[in-house]
Every structure is written in C-alpha cells, then in structure tokens.
Amino acid sequence: MTLLTTVFAAIFCTIIWYKNEEARTLKVGLLSLMFWGASLMWLIDAIFEYAELGAESFVPAPLDMLNDFYLGLSVVALGLIIWLVVLLVKDPKGVLKKALFSSVRSK
C-alpha cells in the first residue's frame, strides 16, 4: 500500500507539472521527484520482501495493509511539508516578500 500511495501521488504531481506552466513555477517538479524517489524506495523494499518471504508478501493481513496505507499517507504528507518549506524559502512569485515588506511599510 505504501508503494501504491506514493506511485499515485507521483503520477498525479507529474501530470499537474506537465500540463500546467504555473505548476512549474511553483516547483511541483520537485514534489514529483520526491514522490518518484519514495516510490522507487518502496519498490526496492517490495522486491527484497518478496525475495525474503516469497508469495506470502502478496497476501498481507488487513491490519498490515491499513498500517502500510497510513505510512504511505505519512510519506506523502511529509513530502508536501518539505515542498511547502522549499516553496516559502524560494518564494518564486514574491508573495511572501511582498507581504513582509508591506506590513513593514504600513508601520
């Protein structure tokens, strides 16, 4: 489930990045790369788990699937938080800079 969650997030972000010029300005490509990296990590984890457990790795318990789904959502949330921090630091549209300087000028 972690692999599926991050793959869907990566596909979604990649489509948005590809179709929308403003998304490129807002660094959605970075978010997409983070999700593709996480997907690659989970794929390698699945390969090693299959090598260790064999076919049993394809029949997880429902509670394990739920835990894996929550872990996948946590990875997506962490990726979004990192992307927001990068976006605020880079401030490609100058929104944060304008807001900070307009409050200083009004005093």
Side-chain angles (χ1 to χ4, degrees):
M1 289 301 288
T2 50
L3 175 61
L4 287 175
T5 306
T6 54
V7 165
F8 286 134
I11 291 170
F12 181 72
C13 287
T14 302
I15 290 171
I16 289 174
W17 171 81
Y18 186 77
K19 287 188 158 220
N20 194 342
E21 182 68 36
E22 187 174 342
R24 293 183 201 124
T25 306
L26 295 176
K27 311 275 187 221
V28 174
L30 174 67
L31 183 63
S32 176
L33 287 174
M34 284 192 287
F35 289 151
W36 282 117
S39 299
L40 181 63
M41 178 187 68
W42 295 123
L43 177 65
I44 292 170
D45 181 58
I47 290 169
F48 276 91
E49 186 176 0
Y50 178 73
E52 184 178 317
L53 300 176
E56 290 178 21
S57 64
F58 291 114
V59 196
L63 187 59
D64 291 338
M65 287 178 61
L66 185 63
N67 285 338
D68 285 348
F69 180 65
Y70 285 145
L71 180 60
L73 288 179
S74 298
V75 168
V76 170
L78 181 62
L80 288 169
I81 290 169
I82 292 169
W83 173 69
L84 283 173
V85 168
V86 168
L87 191 65
L88 290 173
V89 169
K90 297 279 183 176
D91 196 19
K93 290 191 166 193
V95 174
L96 189 61
K97 186 177 181 181
K98 187 187 300 183
L100 288 174
F101 286 126
S102 69
S103 65
V104 171
R105 288 181 194 155
S106 64
K107 288 183 179 182

